[in-house]
């Protein structure tokens, strides 16, 4: 342990002594002198002003394209870094008072080999070319606009150090045309979609690139080495744009919709709605997003899951309002985050108990009354993000024979999030902070289990030197929560904390507390470029820290140390195109000094010249003491997993039929627990417009230590089988008109046996850890448990059979840039039984016998600006 901590400290001490080290302009991070020379070359393009704007159709046949200069000389980044591109590419940039126009000529020596694959917006598919613009010339952030040979658009924001925000959607235009041995594209970028500072002449960073799909080749106008630690600071330069001014831009996106729910339990089958989303693009470089009664009916459903752990399931954000610009608001510390936008508009916190003959009407999500979001960055490198959102007090309706009543299930709540970051030395040093606040108006006694207020905040600091080859990154945060004693009791006993643990001397449960506070952080540093990369990390969370009112905290009361060493080679040699090997060591403790896990990992990846690839993962878990399995009881020793290996093979993704498959096998030292896990991926590109994609997981797990009941701490051996599949059908009439289907059938069955009482939870001897129990299943589906013939407990039969199906079909027509018509059909089925009476395959097939619930929706939104 001392050796590992010494490694981490050496990295961080080395970082501290170089905080203000100066860097030169010469690039010297690559072992290839030709790559260093090309990366150090300063390429400059001068844009040409035009009077007559081109028609954006991808043909490049207007007279304005006769002005200016076509520039080529693209260099390969992959696979043969530093060599000339295999196919010639030329670009031209024109502008007028309102727009930047980019033209591409993408030549191809192989007639018929161009791949114009239509796909969802912001998904890279087929041949593609684009431009990224660092309009503040801050060497860290940039806006990128790409058009595929099919005409599909992809836009994103560069955030530095290979972080991107694909959720950013600007309003711009782009088209492409495919011929025998060339494809061309035109891009129109309104200056209103960029943020830049005033000046007589603009000097912007630019990056121009092209992807040739069949060759898996990326070529660039100005080479950015593949092993560089970041991109934007190595961009080329765009000059010549004169006489344009930033301006305030007002964008409006009103919508109307209607929903029909024919076979649901809703009282009103037909519902209508209206709302407004919009933006104000401020000339200071900031964007104000606002939403009044936002609607997210067209959003893809979350995947189905049956969670048997004590931990909260994390679902990714999918709502456009919260996704766009959310990276500015990011304050992530490992898997934890100070702002988790899914907390806003979540499902109701309270679910009423019903009596016989009563039915309930309750919302799936709490209505969002309004939301404001201000994000942006100044020319001096100050990034700001602020979110203010209000959610309504929500009532459920209980129907009794001849009457109905309302009961509050969520109080009126205000959420506020603020984030600032300041760049120094062209983004090599960043200092930032964040604060979040949640305030609830609670007037009902039965809602006193919720906190009245929650406040959290943090600071972060990062410094890079030696051309960003080395870095140090620190984050520290705190939280303070206030509420009724009922709320703080619940919080202390929650999964993230378990203050009631009987074997943890450093934890103390206090039933009279009305507040709880704590802190946490992370310290990371090392070398993250070149062939050999080494990074050390130290994470910690005090027992009382909690972020889950508007953030996400997986677990408090922990310290984690980790060292990762990676060796990566991207230059083809023999049959190998690229490969890397990664070794990782991790140790976890509680705040009381208890060792809770030692983990070791070895991961190898190889891509061959035929574009097939192989992943091999080897892992081992030792000294695993689970502090959460017994739901607040003592830590439970889980037997060592010395054999955890995974093999995954992928075919050539360029082919019309792409497959990926592989097993994962885990064996434990108790010779009882084991896992057999198999994943299969298939993507069938039937033609340029129609594709089918599926991912299926088969999982058989036997766990000898599955929690059943807290009283007496009863565990059992579960034999669980799960099948989960996701299926997508995507058909595109054009880049703007598409029909997309998403389906997720899921089934899981579990059979319990070998019930035991925990005797000495931390004992590594299996025989001393548990007391054997005899079990007798009663007619009422309860087990009577006995020890040496003496009854000790009753438990309900824990066996289960669960299946669920979630799907939606979305017809989308973007009839003009930013304006869309949606036709949506949502279909869900779900059934849970405590009877284990069928195989997993039969359970999976029986999903279709469950009564479905259907919702049909039409939504019309129209974008315009002033």
């Amino acid at each position: 342990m001392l050796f590992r901590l010494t490694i981490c400290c050496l990295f961080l001490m080395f970082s501290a002594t170089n905080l203000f080290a100066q860097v030169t302009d010469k690039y010297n991070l690559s072992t290839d002198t030709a790559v260093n020379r090309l990366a150090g070359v300063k390429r400059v393009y001068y844009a040409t002003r035009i009077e007559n704007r081109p028609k954006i159709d991808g043909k490049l046949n207007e007279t304005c394209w006769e002005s200016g200069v076509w520039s080529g000389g693209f260099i390969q980044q992959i696979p043969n870094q530093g060599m000339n591109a295999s196919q010639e590419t030329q670009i031209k940039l024109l502008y007028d008072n309102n727009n930047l126009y980019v033209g591409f000529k993408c030549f191809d020596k192989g007639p018929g080999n161009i791949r114009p694959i239509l796909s969802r917006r912001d998904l890279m598919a087929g041949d593609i070319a684009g431009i990224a613009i660092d309009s503040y010339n801050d060497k860290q952030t940039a806006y990128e606009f790409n058009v595929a040979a099919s005409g599909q658009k992809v836009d994103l924001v560069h955030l530095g150090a290979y972080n991107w925000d694909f959720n950013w959607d600007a309003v711009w235009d782009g088209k492409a045309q495919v011929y025998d041995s060339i494809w061309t594209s035109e891009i129109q970028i309104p200056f209103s979609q960029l943020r830049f500072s005033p000046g007589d002449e603009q000097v912007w960073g630019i990056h121009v690139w092209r992807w040739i799909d069949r060759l898996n080749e990326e070529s660039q106008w100005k080479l950015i080495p593949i092993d560089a630690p970041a991109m934007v600071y190595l961009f080329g330069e765009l000059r010549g744009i004169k006489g344009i001014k930033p301006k305030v831009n007002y964008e409006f996106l009103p919508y109307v919709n209607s929903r029909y729910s024919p076979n649901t339990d809703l009282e009103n089958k037909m519902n209508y709605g209206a709302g407004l989303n919009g933006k104000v693009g401020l000339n200071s470089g900031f964007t104000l997003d606002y939403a009044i009664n936002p609607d997210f009916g067209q959003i893809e459903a979350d995947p189905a899951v049956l969670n048997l752990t004590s931990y909260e399931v994390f679902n990714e954000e999918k709502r456009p309002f919260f996704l766009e610009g959310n990276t500015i608001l990011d304050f992530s510390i490992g898997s934890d985050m100070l702002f988790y936008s899914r907390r806003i508009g979540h499902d109701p916190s309270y679910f009423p108990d019903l009596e016989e003959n009563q039915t309930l009407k309750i919302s799936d999500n709490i209505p969002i009354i309004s939301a404001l979001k201000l994000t942006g960055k100044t020319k001096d490198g100050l990034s700001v993000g602020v979110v203010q959102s209000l959610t309504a007090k929500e009532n459920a309706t209980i129907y009794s024979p001849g009457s109905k009543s309302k009961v509050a299930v969520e109080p009126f709540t205000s959420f506020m999030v603020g984030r600032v970051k300041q760049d120094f030395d062209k983004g090599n040093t960043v200092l930032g902070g964040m604060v979040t606040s949640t305030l609830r108006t609670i007037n009902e006694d039965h809602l006193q289990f919720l906190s009245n207020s929650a406040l959290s905040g943090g600071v972060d600091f990062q410094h890079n030197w030696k051309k960003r080859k080395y870095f140090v990154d620190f984050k520290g945060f705190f939280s303070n929560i206030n509420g009724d004693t009922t709320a703080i009791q619940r919080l202390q006993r929650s999964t993230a904390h378990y203050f009631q643990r009987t074997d943890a001397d450093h934890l103390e449960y206090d039933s009279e507390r009305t507040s709880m506070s704590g802190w946490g952080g992370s310290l990371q540093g090392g070398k993250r470029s070149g062939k050999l990369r080494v990074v050390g990390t130290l994470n910690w969370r005090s027992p009382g820290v909690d972020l889950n009112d508007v953030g996400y905290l997986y677990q408090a009361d922990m310290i984690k140390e980790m060292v990762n060493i990676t060796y990566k080679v991207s230059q083809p040699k023999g049959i190998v195109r690229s490969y890397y090997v990664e070794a990782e060591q991790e140790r976890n403790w509680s705040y009381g000094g208890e060792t809770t896990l030692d983990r070791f990992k070895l991961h190898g990846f190889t891509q061959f010249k035929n574009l097939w690839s192989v992943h091999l993962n080897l892992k081992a878990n030792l000294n695993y003491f689970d502090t959460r399995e017994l739901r607040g009881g003592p830590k439970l020793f889980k037997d060592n997993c010395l054999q955890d290996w995974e093999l995954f093979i992928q075919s050539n993704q360029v082919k019309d039929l792409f497959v990926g498959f592989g097993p994962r096998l885990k064996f434990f030292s108790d010779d009882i627990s084991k896992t057999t896990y198999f994943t299969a991926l298939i993507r069938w590109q039937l033609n340029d417009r129609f594709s089918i994609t599926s991912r299926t997981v088969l999982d058989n797990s036997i766990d000898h230590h599955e929690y059943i009941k807290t009283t007496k701490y009863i565990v059992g051996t579960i034999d669980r089988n799960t099948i989960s599949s996701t299926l997508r059908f995507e058909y595109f009439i054009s880049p703007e008109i598409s029909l997309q289907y998403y389906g997720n059938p899921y089934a899981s069955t579990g059979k319990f046996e070998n019930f035991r009482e925990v005797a000495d939870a931390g004992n590594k001897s299996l025989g001393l850890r548990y007391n054997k129990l005899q079990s007798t299943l009663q007619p009422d589906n309860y087990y009577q448990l006995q020890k040496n013939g003496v009854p000790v407990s009753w438990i309900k039969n824990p066996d289960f059979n669960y299946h669920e199906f979630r799907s939606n079909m979305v017809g989308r027509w973007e009839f003009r840039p930013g304006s869309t018509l949606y036709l949506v059909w949502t279909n869900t089925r779900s059934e849970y039984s405590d009877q284990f009476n069928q195989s997993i395959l039969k359970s999976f097939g029986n999903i279709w016998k469950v009564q479905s619930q259907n919702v049909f929706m039409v939504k019309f939104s129209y974008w315009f600006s002033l």
Side-chain angles (χ1 to χ4, degrees):
M1 181 181 76
L2 181 60
F3 173 73
R4 291 187 291 267
L5 290 175
T6 302
I7 291 177
C8 290
C9 292
L10 284 174
F11 275 118
L12 301 173
M13 289 173 61
F14 185 60
S15 302
T17 61
N18 288 272
L19 287 180
F20 302 104
Q22 298 300 311
V23 297
T24 64
D25 291 332
K26 183 179 179 181
Y27 188 86
N28 56 8
L29 299 183
S30 177
T31 57
D32 189 325
T33 56
V35 170
N36 285 331
R37 177 180 56 81
L38 291 166
V41 169
K42 183 178 181 179
R43 294 202 73 179
V44 180
Y45 188 94
Y46 287 85
T48 302
R49 176 179 278 276
I50 58 173
E51 298 300 326
N52 298 316
R53 57 177 291 181
K55 178 183 178 181
I56 304 302
D57 55 12
K59 295 180 180 179
L60 301 175
N61 56 2
E62 293 85 4
T63 56
C64 63
W65 289 111
E66 298 175 3
S67 304
V69 177
W70 289 101
S71 179
F74 279 55
I75 302 296
Q76 285 190 53
Q77 187 201 49
I78 56 174
N80 299 300
Q81 183 171 221
M83 296 182 63
N84 292 332
S86 66
Q87 314 295 324
E88 183 184 357
T89 307
Q90 294 181 353
I91 61 163
K92 182 179 285 189
L93 282 78
L94 311 174
Y95 76 99
D96 57 23
N97 287 333
N98 298 309
N99 303 287
L100 177 69
Y101 305 97
V102 185
F104 280 89
K105 291 182 180 179
C106 300
F107 298 92
D108 201 302
K109 300 173 185 176
N113 288 330
I114 299 169
R115 288 175 56 81
I117 306 299
L118 279 163
S119 66
R120 285 171 285 164
R121 177 167 175 167
D122 292 342
L123 184 66
M124 303 282 189
D127 287 10
I128 192 167
I131 182 171
I133 302 171
D134 177 9
S135 54
Y136 268 129
N137 206 19
D138 64 4
K139 310 297 183 182
Q140 187 166 1
T141 58
Y143 305 95
E144 183 168 319
F145 305 86
N146 309 294
V147 174
S150 63
Q152 188 57 274
K153 297 189 293 187
V154 178
D155 50 10
L156 59 123
V157 176
H158 289 245
L159 300 166
Y162 294 101
N163 291 315
W164 297 279
D165 181 8
F166 279 87
N167 300 306
W168 177 75
D169 284 328
V171 179
W172 56 287
D173 204 1
K175 295 289 190 296
Q177 292 289 329
V178 178
Y179 305 97
D180 286 340
S181 57
I182 185 177
W183 68 275
T184 59
S185 69
E186 286 175 298
I187 298 175
Q188 175 184 306
I189 304 170
F191 291 130
S192 63
Q193 302 299 299
L194 303 175
R195 300 291 172 259
F196 54 92
S197 54
D200 294 334
E201 179 182 355
Q202 298 295 320
V203 179
W204 296 344
I206 59 166
H207 170 61
V208 187
W209 71 289
R210 176 186 176 186
W211 176 258
I212 304 173
D213 195 43
R214 74 179 187 280
L215 303 176
N216 261 222
E217 176 186 312
E218 179 173 337
S219 59
Q220 301 172 342
W221 180 71
K222 194 270 185 181
L223 179 64
I224 297 175
I226 195 169
D227 57 354
M231 289 185 63
V232 183
Y233 81 106
L234 294 171
F235 277 14
E237 201 167 83
L238 174 62
R239 289 179 175 270
I241 299 179
K242 301 178 181 179
I244 66 169
K245 297 179 180 179
K247 62 178 182 179
V248 177
N249 182 53
Y250 299 92
E251 299 181 17
F252 303 90
L253 188 66
Y255 79 86
V256 293
N257 69 9
S258 64
R259 298 169 186 263
Y260 176 55
S261 311
N263 59 340
T264 65
D265 56 1
L266 297 177
E267 187 72 12
N268 298 318
K269 305 297 184 183
M270 180 68 77
N271 288 280
Y272 302 93
L276 174 66
N277 297 309
K279 294 182 182 182
V280 180
L282 307 175
N283 59 14
S284 58
F286 289 88
T287 299
L288 176 66
D289 294 83
Y290 58 89
I292 301 172
N293 190 31
D295 174 74
F296 307 110
Q298 77 279 10
I299 303 304
E300 188 175 279
D302 293 320
V305 64
L306 177 62
N307 182 23
L308 298 185
T309 74
S310 62
Y311 295 100
E312 176 188 6
V313 174
F314 180 89
N315 287 313
E316 294 183 354
E317 180 62 87
K318 299 179 181 180
R319 300 170 294 178
F321 176 84
F322 292 106
L323 282 172
E324 189 167 333
N326 200 31
T327 46
I328 293 179
L329 293 157
D330 176 62
F331 196 109
S332 297
I333 320 96
S335 60
D336 301 330
M337 54 186 67
L338 261 65
F339 177 42
Y340 177 40
S341 55
R342 289 290 294 256
R343 301 294 186 201
I344 302 175
H346 58 74
D347 53 344
S349 299
Y350 178 75
F351 198 90
D353 293 325
L354 298 179
E355 298 178 359
E356 190 174 353
N357 297 325
Q358 287 185 329
T359 58
L360 179 71
K361 177 185 176 183
I362 189 170
S363 299
D364 292 331
N365 301 99
I366 304 303
I368 299 174
I369 302 173
S370 65
L372 292 173
K373 180 169 62 177
L374 176 69
T375 56
K377 187 172 185 177
T378 71
K379 64 179 181 179
D380 297 321
L382 177 65
S383 299
V384 176
V386 179
V387 170
Q388 173 63 57
S389 182
L390 303 175
T391 58
K393 176 182 178 180
E394 183 68 5
N395 293 315
T397 304
I398 299 176
Y399 294 91
S400 303
S403 66
K404 66 178 181 179
S405 60
K406 292 184 179 295
V407 59
V409 294
E410 189 74 28
F412 175 85
T413 306
S414 170
F415 299 94
M416 191 282 293
V417 178
R419 177 78 158 118
V420 295
K421 288 195 297 183
Q422 176 65 59
D423 298 350
F424 303 94
D425 187 23
K426 299 180 180 180
N428 286 315
T429 303
V430 181
L431 178 65
M434 188 169 192
V435 63
T436 74
S437 172
T438 304
L439 299 173
R440 296 185 177 91
T441 303
I442 303 175
N443 299 316
E444 295 80 11
D445 289 342
H446 66 272
L447 294 181
Q448 291 295 336
F449 69 91
L450 298 171
S451 63
N452 295 321
S453 65
L455 177 70
S456 66
V459 294
D460 57 331
F461 170 80
Q462 183 179 114
H463 179 69
N464 304 269
W465 69 97
K466 296 286 186 183
K467 290 290 185 181
R468 310 197 185 198
K469 185 176 185 178
Y470 300 98
F471 80 103
V472 61
D473 190 332
F474 168 78
K475 290 185 174 72
F477 62 92
F478 75 94
S479 69
N480 183 71
I481 300 175
N482 295 281
D484 187 82
T485 55
T486 304
I488 305 304
Q489 287 174 18
R490 175 175 175 263
L491 191 60
Q492 291 179 84
R493 301 178 67 90
S494 67
T495 298
H497 303 283
Y498 285 148
F499 271 81
Q500 70 272 31
R501 277 183 54 205
T502 56
D503 63 338
D505 295 335
H506 63 290
L507 300 177
E508 182 179 355
Y509 175 75
D510 184 353
S511 61
E512 300 301 317
R513 294 177 66 172
T514 57
S515 66
M516 194 171 84
S517 60
W519 72 298
S522 72
L523 188 59
Q524 187 179 62
K527 175 179 179 287
R528 57 181 175 188
S529 70
K531 292 183 178 180
L532 180 64
R533 309 178 186 193
V534 185
V535 176
T537 306
L538 185 65
N539 273 288
W540 61 93
R541 311 285 185 269
S542 75
V545 70
D546 193 280
L547 307 174
N548 288 322
D549 283 273
V550 72
Y552 181 86
L553 179 76
Y554 185 73
Q555 179 181 325
D557 187 24
M558 73 86 176
I559 303 171
K560 178 189 296 185
E561 163 266 323
M562 186 168 61
V563 175
N564 180 283
I565 302 173
T566 303
Y567 184 77
K568 186 173 184 179
V569 176
S570 302
Q571 201 71 17
K573 187 174 182 179
I575 64 171
V576 175
R577 181 182 170 103
S578 65
Y579 70 90
Y580 67 83
V581 179
E582 175 187 21
E584 188 172 275
Q585 168 275 328
E586 175 187 334
R587 168 165 272 205
N588 296 353
W589 303 268
S590 73
Y591 239 64
E594 310 159 288
T595 299
T596 55
L597 177 65
D598 280 309
R599 175 179 288 131
F600 303 92
K601 182 180 81 170
L602 185 65
H603 176 210
F605 166 80
T606 301
Q607 185 181 48
F608 300 96
K609 282 196 172 180
N610 63 359
L611 300 184
W612 281 61
S613 60
V614 177
H615 284 270
L616 178 61
N617 265 308
L618 303 175
K619 296 180 183 178
N621 289 349
L622 308 173
N623 301 319
Y624 182 22
F625 292 86
D626 194 333
T627 60
R628 297 300 185 260
E629 183 67 56
L630 297 181
R631 298 342 188 236
K635 62 180 182 293
L636 179 67
F637 178 72
K638 298 287 190 71
D639 294 273
N640 294 333
C641 178
L642 299 176
Q643 300 181 57
D644 180 355
W645 65 272
E646 180 180 15
L647 177 68
F648 197 77
I649 301 171
Q650 293 183 178
S651 68
N652 185 346
Q653 297 193 43
V654 175
K655 301 296 184 181
D656 290 338
L657 182 63
F658 160 72
V659 296
F661 57 91
R664 181 178 182 184
L665 303 176
K666 299 170 66 174
F667 300 96
F668 295 81
S669 58
D670 60 14
D671 294 327
I672 300 172
S673 302
K674 63 179 181 179
T675 297
T676 303
Y677 188 97
F678 188 85
T679 304
L681 304 174
I682 299 176
R683 188 195 67 228
W684 186 14
Q685 192 74 46
L686 284 81
N687 53 47
D688 293 345
R689 300 175 181 271
F690 185 33
S691 66
I692 301 173
T693 307
S694 75
R695 180 180 185 271
T696 301
V697 173
L698 308 176
D699 183 5
N700 171 242
S701 299
I702 298 175
D703 186 354
H704 192 51
H705 317 279
E706 183 69 30
Y707 164 84
I708 297 175
K709 186 177 181 181
T710 298
T711 307
K712 300 289 185 179
Y713 298 121
I714 306 299
V715 301
T717 302
I718 181 177
D719 186 349
R720 182 180 182 183
N721 289 278
T722 300
I723 300 178
S724 179
S725 184
T726 57
L727 182 66
R728 297 180 187 272
F729 295 91
E730 297 181 324
Y731 179 71
F732 293 84
I733 298 174
S734 71
E736 296 78 26
I737 305 175
S738 63
L739 182 65
Q740 301 172 28
Y741 175 81
Y742 167 84
N744 175 211
Y746 174 93
S748 187
T749 63
K751 177 66 177 176
F752 284 81
E753 60 182 9
N754 195 14
F755 302 112
R756 283 154 287 126
E757 178 187 42
V758 176
D760 184 2
N763 201 307
K764 293 187 177 182
S765 169
L766 193 59
L768 298 177
R769 204 179 315 156
Y770 303 112
N771 292 324
K772 292 185 178 180
L773 299 175
Q774 299 82 43
S775 60
T776 304
L777 183 61
Q778 305 299 314
D780 59 357
N781 205 33
Y782 274 78
Y783 276 102
Q784 184 188 59
L785 304 180
Q786 298 178 338
K787 181 171 64 175
N788 300 323
V790 179
V792 295
S793 184
W794 290 82
I795 61 170
K796 187 177 181 180
N797 183 359
D799 295 348
F800 60 84
N801 176 18
Y802 176 74
H803 39 226
E804 183 176 11
F805 177 70
R806 301 183 182 187
S807 73
N808 61 353
M809 180 178 289
V810 179
R812 180 181 181 274
W813 176 26
E814 187 176 359
F815 53 89
R816 64 188 298 269
S819 302
T820 311
L821 174 66
Y822 291 100
L823 303 175
V824 183
W825 169 43
T826 300
N827 176 260
T828 58
R829 305 163 188 257
S830 180
E831 184 178 66
Y832 180 90
S833 171
D834 59 5
Q835 300 292 320
F836 181 82
N837 55 9
Q838 55 189 222
S839 69
I840 183 62
L841 291 177
K842 188 174 181 181
S843 176
F844 190 78
N846 284 343
I847 293 175
W848 317 113
K849 297 181 181 180
V850 179
Q851 174 67 38
S852 67
Q853 291 194 328
N854 295 284
V855 177
F856 301 91
M857 186 188 79
V858 178
K859 179 179 178 181
F860 175 86
S861 61
Y862 187 84
W863 179 91
F864 63 96
S865 67
L866 300 176

